[in-house]
Amino acid sequence: MTTRPPTGSRSARDLERYAALFSTRTKVMKSSAMRDLMAVIARDDIISLAGGAPDMTVFPAEVMAKVMSQLAAEQSARALQYGPTEGLEDVKEAIIEVMAAEGTIGVDPQDILVTTGGQQVIDLFCRTLIDPGDVIIAEAPTYPGAVPCFGAYEADVVQVEMDSDGMRIDELEAVLDQLARENRRPKFIYTVPTFHNPAGVTMSLPRRKRLVEVAAERELLVLEDNPYGLLRYEGDPLPTLYSLDGGQFVVYLGTFSKIFAAGVRLGWAVAPGPVYHKLNIGKQAADLCSSPLSQLFVSTYFRTGEWPQLLSAFKERYHRRRDVMLDALAEFFGPEAVWTHPQGGLFLWATLPDFIDTTDLLARALEENVAFVPGRGAYLDGRGGSSMRLNFSYVSDEDIREGVRRIGAIVHEQVALYGTLTGTVVPSSPVADERPAPGGPDQALADVLHLPRRAGDGRRAGSSE
Amino acid sequence: MTTRPPTGSRSARDLERYAALFSTRTKVMKSSAMRDLMAVIARDDIISLAGGAPDMTVFPAEVMAKVMSQLAAEQSARALQYGPTEGLEDVKEAIIEVMAAEGTIGVDPQDILVTTGGQQVIDLFCRTLIDPGDVIIAEAPTYPGAVPCFGAYEADVVQVEMDSDGMRIDELEAVLDQLARENRRPKFIYTVPTFHNPAGVTMSLPRRKRLVEVAAERELLVLEDNPYGLLRYEGDPLPTLYSLDGGQFVVYLGTFSKIFAAGVRLGWAVAPGPVYHKLNIGKQAADLCSSPLSQLFVSTYFRTGEWPQLLSAFKERYHRRRDVMLDALAEFFGPEAVWTHPQGGLFLWATLPDFIDTTDLLARALEENVAFVPGRGAYLDGRGGSSMRLNFSYVSDEDIREGVRRIGAIVHEQVALYGTLTGTVVPSSPVADERPAPGGPDQALADVLHLPRRAGDGRRAGSSE
């Protein structure tokens, strides 16, 4: 019928015409640094240490074919039809199996809400709880993908420092006390306790226990975001906050993205009844239900019983790549940086001398065809300017080494330039930190990693688990 | 590790403990009448005329198997991985093909945002535009699935009456004038112009043209929700609002749910640049991206070139079922009701005498193992109490007839009871309506359908296209 106007006329479609219509949240809505990088890192000639994607070449193509044909033969009609908002029982069985493997036994299927990725849980949780100006407590740094979500709901996010044992609960309590004096009750505490994204650290057992106590004492909800819990390469597993709390104040967030496949876009929440009910209503409005095609693909796969082998394959590969990255950092970043030593997960967090801005550095790195996530994307208050998140799950061992080498070369160049311009000798301990470390730095690890003696501020090297 | 506490202790998890934490929007959030019915209508012994689901038995299982194995062979790695937020180019090609079949030529892929079902477009559009108290214009009745979404964003929804030619644009203009006098500018006009859900009517061409003019004159966005446009069983196709407007003020919402498969949960928006950008940022926060598995399933299917045959099969089946339902209504609802005559889509709207409350009637109907959507679910202001939405796409011809028979029997019972209680003879024209019809009722159709002479109020029988 009618054709679209030629492209020329679209210059008239300027922002001004629509700007008055946007909601307040829209005006403050910012794009996630990570997602904006997606277009760039999709280029074949870029070594991307910026993503958070699993390496799906681990997944055997013949298994995919087998599961697809079984799904088509057995579940075709259900896969193509709407499902209930809360999710299909089939996939809830797989979720219960995954949570049992994490040590959480006896999850009630009625408490499980199947969602469109773990991201949707964060969104629905904010939707359920946050009015503009409400306080969310998060870690410093926090998951970069949560930042635009918190922004969209106009939350006031207070970020609590971490060290190598995860969120500092003493500081959390001080923050809560301060808020109480201001008559402000935070709506929830958002945490990635295990193999933190982006910091790469893990919350210790004593802190886990204390966090759960604090939540119960103050009747505060905790959103435990646990995408990587099963991807442990060393050390002993720790109980989830959810299992310590018994599902009273901790809402659990899980996802199939990192232990199975990101492309199915399936995650889940486990929440107490009243919260569950509100999340469910929110999900109705958001997307009615998550794809039954995806759900039945997952449940068909999990019924093959092969997922522990897949998990082992992921772990083996990422363990090796973590080691490759740690070795490369020691070789190429040298004394100019500190970084964390993750015992699992996909990321580590590196911090450069504070005269280096990693957002600027990224522009320079992209010229050398390598990418990372600048640290500022993990803060809502402009901090993180000299840090970066590095991913070791997605690219090959060779590319990890080469990528770190290129970034290291740029860092050395910047450090030398700074020295020339200022006439100073750059110290080997790059970041000044006034606060003494609680318990001091982990010298054993620091020695292995050629790390300077420093700690605190969420940038401390080494993990003490 | 730790097991969940026994179920008994969960009685302590009462709403009160969490109530103080919920956001304002949560307190007003209501479940969609439709979705709440899902649990009930999933029972095998219920004849459900309540859903809005396609009949996926139309989809050949062998085609599913073929597409799945092709997808596994060719796209396995991409299907299992994250994709860009805006959607994969592969599926955008299919979208452009669908829109071309609707008569909209030359859509720019860059204007297409692939979403998790059409529902997500409504949610993201509200997120982008609505602050609490902002005005949305919708039809009366409106899509029941949009009602909780509008509620979640605390919009003030003004519903404009329809007749058999769709939304009354004269009334729309009067509403806009009134709002202008109050210094209130509506954020957008939400409309399902073609085979309206739930009303079953279609906006005439003159009204479409005028609506697009009004939007341009007043610089108002229009969200054109068009899930059923290709499901026409009689009459000539009409241009979409989007094609008439050229994508200046009309944002188009499409979905694969009704022309392909609801289970893929894929829809799309076509929006001008600045609005597109904000929708995209909103989607990042909501779910990062829609399932690449679903997207590549759709694109692989569309490349087989078989979708026009599938569409024909859907149309043939639904056309017949619409006729079965119209015949059954004429036979079993008799003079006590009026209903619309949809030229396409999945729904019709029936209105009973105003002393019958369809929400109460549903309880009675469920005892007889038959379900429908009570009309109140399509209003935000408590109206619709004597109307119901009936779906003719999902259940068999025999069940449609039997379902209508059972509802009709309950209606007659209620009418007789009312007569006995009040001592009155129930008039054959069930609903009083003070306003004269604009142009009078369509007597030709009314004769065919045994309809009383009445019109207006969005409940008028017949469609004049």
Side-chain angles (χ1 to χ4, degrees):
Chain A
M1 312 223 165
T2 318
T3 41
R4 290 281 304 277
T7 312
S9 80
R10 282 206 269 154
S11 59
R13 295 200 217 161
D14 51 294
L15 184 60
E16 291 311 309
R17 177 179 283 179
Y18 306 97
L21 293 170
F22 292 140
S23 60
T24 305
R25 82 173 64 80
T26 302
K27 286 162 196 156
V28 299
M29 263 171 16
K30 284 208 182 70
S31 188
S32 155
M34 271 186 348
R35 299 299 297 173
D36 280 349
L37 279 170
M38 286 292 283
V40 174
I41 66 174
R43 276 168 41 197
D44 279 343
D45 57 342
I46 292 266
I47 296 175
S48 176
L49 307 177
D55 181 356
M56 291 313 302
T57 66
V58 170
F59 197 95
E62 65 275 16
V63 174
M64 170 85 174
K66 187 178 74 179
V67 172
M68 290 297 249
S69 75
Q70 199 176 331
L71 173 55
E74 296 169 5
Q75 306 269 16
S76 180
R78 286 177 75 209
L80 300 175
Q81 190 55 276
Y82 289 110
T85 300
E86 60 271 21
L88 296 170
E89 291 306 314
D90 313 61
V91 80
K92 291 188 178 187
E93 285 174 23
I95 288 166
I96 288 168
E97 210 178 315
V98 170
M99 291 187 71
E102 289 171 355
T104 308
I105 310 296
V107 174
D108 186 337
Q110 285 196 54
D111 289 348
I112 300 172
L113 180 72
V114 179
T115 59
T116 308
Q119 184 73 26
Q120 191 180 41
V121 177
I122 303 176
D123 186 62
L124 295 178
F125 208 64
C126 288
R127 184 188 296 234
T128 298
L129 298 167
I130 300 301
D131 284 316
D134 277 352
V135 175
I136 297 172
I137 311 271
E139 284 136 345
T142 190
Y143 165 49
V147 169
C149 197
F150 295 159
Y153 290 94
E154 301 169 67
D156 182 6
V157 181
V158 179
Q159 293 186 264
V160 175
E161 295 302 331
M162 286 191 289
D163 59 23
S164 56
D165 282 344
M167 189 196 288
R168 284 186 45 185
I169 309 300
D170 56 342
E171 231 189 89
L172 169 69
E173 292 187 80
V175 164
L176 292 173
D177 288 342
Q178 179 59 36
L179 287 167
R181 281 191 293 274
E182 295 165 12
N183 236 336
R184 303 180 74 192
R185 183 184 180 193
K187 288 301 184 76
F188 65 91
I189 300 166
Y190 172 73
T191 175
V192 185
T194 309
F195 316 134
H196 189 271
N197 176 1
V201 299
T202 293
M203 193 184 290
S204 66
L205 184 57
R207 290 200 188 165
R208 284 171 195 245
K209 288 180 172 165
R210 182 63 196 139
L211 175 54
V212 164
E213 280 170 11
V214 168
E217 284 165 15
R218 304 190 187 225
E219 302 214 329
L220 288 175
L221 288 171
V222 175
L223 181 58
E224 176 180 32
D225 189 355
N226 190 32
Y228 325 107
L230 288 172
L231 295 170
R232 176 177 282 278
Y233 319 131
E234 63 185 51
D236 293 324
L238 292 169
T240 58
L241 299 174
Y242 182 84
S243 66
L244 291 171
D245 163 79
Q248 299 295 307
F249 289 98
V250 176
V251 172
Y252 183 88
L253 184 172
T255 175
F256 288 105
S257 292
K258 305 307 189 298
I259 58 166
F260 174 56
V264 298
R265 306 305 304 119
L266 286 179
W268 67 90
V270 189
V275 176
Y276 183 94
H277 179 65
K278 298 295 184 182
L279 293 173
N280 186 311
I281 292 179
K283 182 165 172 63
Q284 287 179 24
D287 63 5
L288 298 181
C289 65
S290 293
S291 166
L293 176 72
S294 282
Q295 291 186 58
L296 292 170
F297 179 69
V298 169
S299 62
T300 303
Y301 175 76
F302 272 72
R303 272 199 291 269
T304 65
E306 291 180 24
W307 78 274
Q309 289 98 291
L310 178 65
L311 181 63
S312 294
F314 277 129
K315 283 167 70 174
E316 190 192 328
R317 184 163 301 185
Y318 299 161
H319 186 168
R320 193 183 67 231
R321 288 185 176 167
R322 182 206 60 170
D323 291 345
V324 168
M325 183 170 274
L326 289 172
D327 289 347
L329 284 166
E331 183 172 349
F332 300 117
F333 273 39
E336 270 99 17
V338 289
W339 53 88
T340 55
H341 177 99
Q343 294 195 310
L346 312 183
F347 308 105
L348 61 75
W349 183 250
T351 299
L352 304 173
D354 56 9
F355 57 82
I356 293 186
D357 184 299
T358 51
T359 308
D360 298 340
L361 196 76
L362 177 61
R364 186 68 193 84
L366 288 173
E367 289 171 18
E368 304 293 333
N369 290 335
V370 58
F372 55 81
V373 173
R376 250 194 272 276
Y379 290 85
L380 288 99
D381 56 11
R383 282 186 292 166
S386 59
S387 297
M388 62 173 70
R389 188 189 76 178
L390 296 171
N391 168 267
F392 51 80
S393 63
Y394 186 63
V395 305
S396 70
D397 300 17
E398 297 68 35
D399 279 354
I400 288 173
R401 197 176 145 78
E402 174 60 18
V404 170
R405 191 195 63 74
R406 291 186 200 170
I407 299 169
I410 302 165
V411 170
H412 288 297
E413 184 188 285
Q414 300 282 309
V415 168
L417 184 67
Y418 180 81
T420 308
L421 290 174
T422 61
T424 56
V425 177
V426 177
S428 69
S429 179
V431 187
D433 191 337
E434 293 87 340
R435 270 167 311 177
D442 188 332
Q443 192 53 41
L445 275 173
D447 285 346
V448 172
L449 296 173
H450 310 289
L451 286 180
R453 261 191 170 272
R454 58 166 298 279
D457 198 24
R459 300 158 178 176
R460 180 179 155 203
S463 172
S464 69
E465 283 172 24
Chain B
M1 312 226 164
T2 318
T3 41
R4 290 282 306 280
T7 312
S9 81
R10 282 205 272 154
S11 59
R13 295 200 218 159
D14 51 296
L15 184 59
E16 291 311 309
R17 175 178 287 181
Y18 307 96
L21 293 170
F22 293 140
S23 61
T24 305
R25 81 174 65 79
T26 302
K27 288 163 192 154
V28 299
M29 264 171 16
K30 285 208 180 70
S31 187
S32 155
M34 271 184 349
R35 299 298 299 175
D36 280 351
L37 278 171
M38 284 293 282
V40 173
I41 66 175
R43 277 169 41 197
D44 280 343
D45 56 342
I46 291 265
I47 297 176
S48 176
L49 308 176
D55 181 356
M56 290 314 301
T57 65
V58 170
F59 197 94
E62 65 275 15
V63 174
M64 171 86 173
K66 187 179 72 179
V67 172
M68 290 297 249
S69 76
Q70 200 177 330
L71 172 56
E74 295 169 8
Q75 307 268 16
S76 179
R78 288 177 75 209
L80 299 176
Q81 191 53 277
Y82 289 110
T85 301
E86 59 271 24
L88 296 170
E89 291 306 314
D90 313 59
V91 79
K92 290 188 178 187
E93 286 173 22
I95 289 166
I96 287 168
E97 208 177 316
V98 169
M99 290 187 71
E102 290 171 352
T104 308
I105 310 298
V107 174
D108 186 338
Q110 286 196 52
D111 289 348
I112 301 173
L113 180 72
V114 179
T115 59
T116 308
Q119 183 74 26
Q120 191 180 43
V121 177
I122 302 176
D123 186 62
L124 295 177
F125 207 64
C126 288
R127 183 187 297 233
T128 299
L129 298 167
I130 300 301
D131 284 315
D134 277 351
V135 175
I136 297 171
I137 310 270
E139 285 138 343
T142 190
Y143 164 49
V147 169
C149 197
F150 295 159
Y153 290 93
E154 303 170 64
D156 182 7
V157 182
V158 180
Q159 294 186 265
V160 174
E161 295 301 331
M162 287 192 288
D163 59 24
S164 55
D165 282 346
M167 189 196 288
R168 284 185 48 184
I169 309 300
D170 56 342
E171 232 188 88
L172 168 68
E173 292 187 80
V175 164
L176 293 173
D177 288 341
Q178 178 58 37
L179 288 166
R181 279 190 294 273
E182 296 164 13
N183 237 334
R184 304 179 74 191
R185 184 183 179 196
K187 287 301 183 77
F188 66 91
I189 300 166
Y190 172 73
T191 175
V192 185
T194 310
F195 317 134
H196 189 272
N197 174 3
V201 299
T202 294
M203 194 185 290
S204 66
L205 184 57
R207 289 199 187 166
R208 284 171 193 244
K209 289 180 171 165
R210 184 61 197 141
L211 175 55
V212 165
E213 280 170 11
V214 167
E217 284 166 13
R218 304 189 186 227
E219 300 213 332
L220 288 176
L221 289 170
V222 175
L223 181 58
E224 176 180 31
D225 188 355
N226 191 31
Y228 325 107
L230 288 171
L231 295 170
R232 176 177 282 279
Y233 319 131
E234 63 184 50
D236 294 323
L238 292 169
T240 58
L241 299 173
Y242 181 84
S243 67
L244 291 171
D245 163 78
Q248 298 296 307
F249 290 98
V250 176
V251 172
Y252 183 88
L253 184 172
T255 176
F256 288 106
S257 292
K258 306 307 190 299
I259 58 167
F260 174 56
V264 297
R265 304 306 303 121
L266 286 179
W268 66 91
V270 189
V275 176
Y276 183 94
H277 179 66
K278 297 296 184 182
L279 293 174
N280 186 309
I281 292 179
K283 182 166 172 63
Q284 285 179 25
D287 63 6
L288 298 181
C289 66
S290 293
S291 166
L293 177 72
S294 282
Q295 291 184 58
L296 292 170
F297 178 69
V298 169
S299 62
T300 303
Y301 174 76
F302 271 73
R303 273 200 291 271
T304 66
E306 291 181 24
W307 79 274
Q309 289 98 290
L310 178 64
L311 181 64
S312 294
F314 278 129
K315 284 167 68 174
E316 190 192 326
R317 185 164 299 183
Y318 300 161
H319 186 167
R320 192 183 68 231
R321 287 183 177 168
R322 181 206 62 171
D323 292 344
V324 168
M325 183 171 274
L326 289 173
D327 288 347
L329 285 167
E331 184 172 347
F332 299 118
F333 273 40
E336 271 99 16
V338 290
W339 53 87
T340 54
H341 177 101
Q343 293 195 310
L346 312 184
F347 307 105
L348 62 75
W349 183 250
T351 298
L352 303 173
D354 55 9
F355 58 81
I356 294 185
D357 184 298
T358 51
T359 308
D360 298 340
L361 196 75
L362 176 61
R364 187 68 194 82
L366 289 172
E367 290 172 17
E368 304 292 332
N369 291 335
V370 58
F372 55 82
V373 173
R376 250 192 274 276
Y379 289 85
L380 289 98
D381 56 10
R383 283 186 291 167
S386 59
S387 296
M388 61 172 71
R389 188 189 77 177
L390 296 172
N391 167 267
F392 51 80
S393 63
Y394 187 62
V395 305
S396 69
D397 300 17
E398 298 67 36
D399 279 355
I400 288 174
R401 195 176 146 78
E402 175 60 18
V404 170
R405 191 193 65 74
R406 290 184 200 172
I407 300 170
I410 302 164
V411 170
H412 287 298
E413 183 188 287
Q414 299 283 308
V415 169
L417 185 66
Y418 181 82
T420 307
L421 291 173
T422 61
T424 56
V425 177
V426 177
S428 67
S429 179
V431 188
D433 190 337
E434 293 87 341
R435 270 167 312 179
D442 188 330
Q443 192 52 42
L445 275 173
D447 285 347
V448 172
L449 296 173
H450 309 290
L451 288 179
R453 259 187 172 274
R454 60 166 294 280
D457 199 22
R459 301 159 175 176
R460 177 179 158 206
S463 171
S464 69
E465 281 170 26

